[in-house]
Amino acid sequence: MRILIVGAGVIGLSSAYILSRAGHAVTVAERHADVASETSFGNGGQLSYSYVAPLAGPGVVSSLPRWLTRRDSPVRFRPKLSVEQWRWCFEFLSACTREHSELTTRKLLSLSFLSRTLMHELIAAEPTLDFDFARSGKLVVHRDAQAMQSAMNLLEFQRTLGCEQHALSADACVGIEPALAHGRPLLAGGIYTPGEDTADCRRFCKGLEAVLRERGVRFLMNTTVDGLRRSPHGVEAFSGGAALPADHVVLASGAGATRLLKPIGIRAAIYPIKGYSLTFELQAQSTAPHVSITDSGRKVVYARLGERLRVAGIADIGGYSLEPDSVRLATLRSEAAMLFPDVGRSAVRGEWAGLRPATPRGTPIIGPTRYPNLWLNVGHGALGFTLAMGSAALLADGLAGSSGHELRSTFALSH
Ligand SMILES: Cc1cc2nc3c(=O)[nH]c(=O)nc-3n(C[C@H](O)[C@H](O)[C@H](O)COP(=O)(O)OP(=O)(O)OC[C@H]3O[C@@H](n4cnc5c(N)ncnc54)[C@H](O)[C@@H]3O)c2cc1C
């Protein structure tokens, strides 16, 4: 089949890989000149298969007053005159119950475990891929006893779902990652997950693009899909007034999906949550972590990517602007300096802001639509790199009409 994928981020490219391996003639249309030019460019580099619990959790409502009033808060809400924003927020707050959070965690763990298997298979199958991949393990550190207790409760729940995780004292955290020695007085303890990976998402996308071109996948760069219109087979995508020929269209357009879907009567509850990253150039003598670190209370992640350290975090709910906010970047830098002073003194090679394409419950939308030839692979929020390969496999299963993955219906549009 001729399949047109809209979007050359990590989701579009992973989909292209699995679909081309399944024998389809794949074309990728992307509005930028290069792949991974939007959210897949500078993310946190975490392949955090066991850390998929959604932002919409039972602790959110009680944290809101603190989050909304502190200038350096990791989460910020900028109200807009936008029905889309308010409706999304209402649905998000409705999902902030233990029941919803556990259900979402259960679904996402199944998808992330599948993604890990497929990512490891991909790395074995494509030896030319070089993207600073490391089996780093992950340590999530907590700053107070109450947060540590909640994390241990989650650990017990996730143990029943197959996660291998260990609760550690603050000293044991420093034992696992000596770069935490300076920050030791800030810590109450941590949860260590040995099976987590880190990698550079943009380099992954660039490598995958090369593999795909080699396999004969066509790339239409600098091509904006202006819209979707009804056709005898369902819909067709058009650019500059001309139809882009395809039997099936897959939207993998990240935060840009809702604007393409609305005019054809489909509501996908995706709203952008803006985040930031800094990339530090490490010196040979820098004391910087090798293990992937999450500072849970501050919602900041740290991943070593070769000789660089990626520091990412912050969740701003306030529209589609990609304008970097110097105050938010300074907050991120001071968080890094507090936990890893040597890193704080290192040169910054990149400052970046991106939009997480987030659904209220934190589950992506993967699968068919009411148009028989239109498919979605969107809404991966803070987990697109982690979930990319499994999401692509579910999409491909759907297109093949196969019932191979029992997960397939779990992420369909109505869920
Ligand atoms: C600060 C931050 C840190 C993060 N950290 C992590 C992490 O550590 N681990 C993790 O797993 N995830 C992380 N994420 C989330 C992850 O980066 C995203 O979920 C993922 O990149 C989404 O990929 P995507 O392909 O859906 O979107 P994108 O990468 O945005 O790709 C969509 C593409 O579609 C193109 N497009 C859109 N509309 C059109 C159109 N009309 N015509 C043509 N092209 C179009 C865009 O130009 C874009 O290139 C983070 C995100 C942020 C912001």
Side-chain angles (χ1 to χ4, degrees):
M1 288 189 290
R2 294 171 310 158
I3 299 179
L4 175 74
I5 298 177
V6 182
V10 69
I11 299 298
L13 295 168
S14 305
S15 305
Y17 180 76
I18 299 235
L19 290 169
S20 78
R21 280 193 68 143
H24 300 295
V26 177
T27 300
V28 179
E30 167 58 51
R31 61 186 166 193
H32 294 288
D34 203 357
V35 303
S37 291
E38 296 209 358
T39 316
S40 304
F41 184 90
N43 69 24
Q46 317 277 314
L47 292 160
S48 55
Y49 310 106
S50 299
Y51 281 93
V52 295
L55 182 60
V60 165
V61 175
S62 58
S63 303
L64 276 181
R66 194 164 23 98
W67 284 350
L68 297 182
T69 48
R70 276 183 61 165
R71 198 172 146 74
D72 64 347
S73 166
V75 180
R76 189 167 67 182
F77 176 59
R78 283 258 164 95
K80 299 265 164 198
L81 273 176
S82 150
V83 176
E84 188 194 356
Q85 187 195 49
W86 285 91
R87 194 167 167 189
W88 188 94
C89 288
F90 175 74
E91 288 173 3
F92 172 81
L93 289 173
S94 312
C96 289
T97 64
R98 177 168 307 286
E99 191 193 13
H100 279 311
S101 170
E102 288 192 355
L103 182 63
T104 301
T105 303
R106 197 183 289 273
K107 290 176 181 177
L108 289 178
L109 278 178
S110 314
L111 184 56
S112 69
F113 289 168
L114 172 65
S115 298
R116 172 165 49 197
T117 302
L118 294 174
M119 177 61 91
H120 292 173
E121 283 176 13
L122 170 73
I123 290 168
E126 306 292 349
T128 55
L129 281 179
D130 175 11
F131 58 108
D132 295 315
F133 175 84
R135 295 195 174 198
S136 54
K138 183 176 184 66
L139 186 53
V140 178
V141 294
H142 295 279
R143 294 191 180 208
D144 61 71
Q146 198 188 342
M148 188 61 199
Q149 186 54 52
S150 309
M152 283 162 65
N153 296 344
L154 183 63
L155 178 151
E156 286 308 326
F157 169 63
Q158 294 206 164
R159 201 194 298 281
T160 64
L161 302 173
C163 293
E164 189 205 337
Q165 299 183 301
H166 309 282
L168 303 180
S169 67
D171 286 334
C173 289
V174 179
I176 295 265
E177 178 45 76
L180 282 169
H182 175 90
R184 160 72 186 83
L186 299 172
L187 309 183
I191 305 292
Y192 179 58
T193 313
E196 307 282 78
D197 304 328
T198 45
D200 184 328
C201 186
R202 177 171 182 268
R203 291 194 70 204
F204 175 73
C205 290
K206 292 293 291 173
L208 213 48
E209 178 196 7
V211 168
L212 291 170
R213 285 188 187 274
E214 189 88 348
R215 297 185 66 86
V217 169
R218 260 181 90 213
F219 281 83
L220 305 174
M221 305 309 290
N222 298 308
T223 303
T224 298
V225 170
D226 299 321
L228 302 170
R229 59 190 173 210
R230 290 174 177 82
S231 76
H233 306 292
V235 295
E236 64 184 11
F238 61 95
S239 179
L244 299 172
D247 300 317
H248 289 271
V249 177
V250 172
L251 278 198
S253 48
T258 43
R259 285 176 183 175
L260 288 171
L261 290 169
K262 203 170 167 198
I264 56 163
I266 295 179
R267 175 177 182 257
I270 297 170
Y271 196 74
I273 301 188
K274 187 172 179 179
Y276 290 85
S277 76
L278 293 170
T279 306
F280 290 91
E281 185 92 57
L282 299 175
Q283 304 300 318
Q285 71 280 10
S286 303
T287 305
H290 284 85
V291 174
S292 154
I293 302 288
T294 295
D295 184 348
S296 174
R298 307 306 298 148
K299 301 209 178 302
V300 177
V301 297
Y302 299 83
R304 190 184 267 262
L305 305 172
E307 298 308 313
R308 299 165 297 148
L309 188 78
R310 177 71 48 79
V311 182
I314 297 180
D316 287 348
I317 306 173
Y320 286 84
S321 162
L322 270 169
E323 201 59 36
D325 176 336
S326 55
V327 175
R328 300 303 260 164
L329 283 163
T331 299
L332 207 51
R333 190 172 185 142
S334 73
E335 292 294 346
M338 211 184 306
L339 210 52
F340 303 110
D342 242 15
V343 171
R345 285 187 287 271
S346 304
V348 174
R349 198 204 268 183
E351 294 182 338
W352 175 81
L355 302 175
R356 302 176 186 89
T359 61
R361 290 190 178 187
T363 41
I365 304 167
I366 308 164
T369 65
R370 78 171 84 116
Y371 297 95
N373 71 338
L374 177 64
W375 299 78
L376 304 182
N377 195 0
V378 290
H380 294 76
L383 290 168
F385 192 16
T386 305
L387 301 178
M389 291 300 293
S391 303
L394 295 198
L395 173 80
D397 255 25
L399 267 152
S402 120
S403 53
H405 288 292
E406 77 241 12
L407 269 178
R408 184 148 72 79
S409 59
T410 308
F411 298 99
L413 189 59
S414 57
H415 287 259

